[in-house]
Amino acid sequence: FFEYNVILTLVFIILLERKNARQGLGERSEASNRYRPSSFASSKILIRSLTTHSTMDDAAKKLEIENFFKQQMETSKKTWEMRGKEARIAAHQARQSVKTWRNMKGMELMIHEAGHAGNRPFVMGLAVIAGFAFYTQASLGEDAKKDSDYWQAFHAKH
């Protein structure tokens, strides 16, 4: 049965290489510019691994399989820990302790957004306009306030 599988595998590899050769899916050798199938080296390794039986290979395969199942068990344990009501509560509390922009309000959010590089031109423009507004308000004297219809209508205390 084993030899039958090896023969079928070899036939499949040969047919695949011929198909690739017809479609031009291989590498060209620089020295001879002759077609060399790209899967030739991998087919040699596959044939060697199918035909050799040593205790070293079995031990290595066993170790590899054991390591794979250990990793799967660790992943499963992590998944199991994330399930259930207590785990959902713990995950929710962990998310609440981290301060993100979604949790910020008012001046804290404004300062956070002003720190982003993409918002710097807007922040500079806002600072210039605020500076002009402050200068205009500060330079408005008592005489100008008395003569201003706007100031008398909306700000003056009668």
Side-chain angles (χ1 to χ4, degrees):
F1 182 73
F2 181 74
E3 290 81 17
Y4 180 72
N5 284 341
V6 171
I7 291 171
L8 282 177
T9 305
L10 290 174
V11 169
F12 178 73
I13 290 171
I14 291 169
L15 290 175
L16 185 64
E17 287 177 355
R18 284 187 181 173
K19 179 183 173 190
N20 289 344
R22 272 187 266 128
Q23 294 177 353
L25 298 174
E27 300 174 19
R28 298 226 176 244
S29 174
E30 293 175 349
S32 65
N33 200 19
R34 216 173 117 216
Y35 176 79
R36 181 170 46 94
S38 60
S39 60
F40 183 69
S42 61
S43 63
K44 276 184 167 179
I45 294 170
L46 178 64
I47 294 167
R48 194 176 309 129
S49 68
L50 290 174
T51 56
T52 58
H53 298 292
S54 68
T55 56
M56 185 67 168
D57 289 337
D58 292 339
K61 287 179 185 176
K62 182 180 178 187
L63 183 64
E64 183 180 352
I65 291 170
E66 287 175 356
N67 288 336
F68 171 76
F69 281 117
K70 284 179 185 176
Q71 289 174 348
Q72 288 296 105
M73 183 58 76
E74 290 173 7
T75 306
S76 296
K77 285 181 181 178
K78 288 178 185 175
T79 303
W80 295 335
E81 289 172 358
M82 292 189 309
R83 294 181 180 161
K85 185 176 181 180
E86 297 82 15
R88 285 194 302 271
I89 291 170
H92 180 71
Q93 289 172 348
R95 282 193 304 271
Q96 294 304 313
S97 65
V98 177
K99 192 80 166 180
T100 65
W101 66 269
R102 295 174 186 263
N103 305 93
M104 297 178 191
K105 292 179 181 163
M107 199 61 157
E108 183 183 16
L109 179 61
M110 192 171 166
I111 291 170
H112 172 77
E113 286 298 321
H116 289 288
N119 294 335
R120 285 198 184 121
F122 172 75
V123 171
M124 287 179 193
L126 184 66
V128 168
I129 297 299
F132 280 133
F134 180 74
Y135 173 75
T136 304
Q137 184 67 30
S139 65
L140 193 61
E142 290 298 322
D143 297 335
K145 288 179 184 176
K146 287 180 184 175
D147 295 339
S148 171
D149 294 333
Y150 170 79
W151 185 266
Q152 293 299 322
F154 295 106
H155 298 289
K157 294 185 179 176
H158 297 278

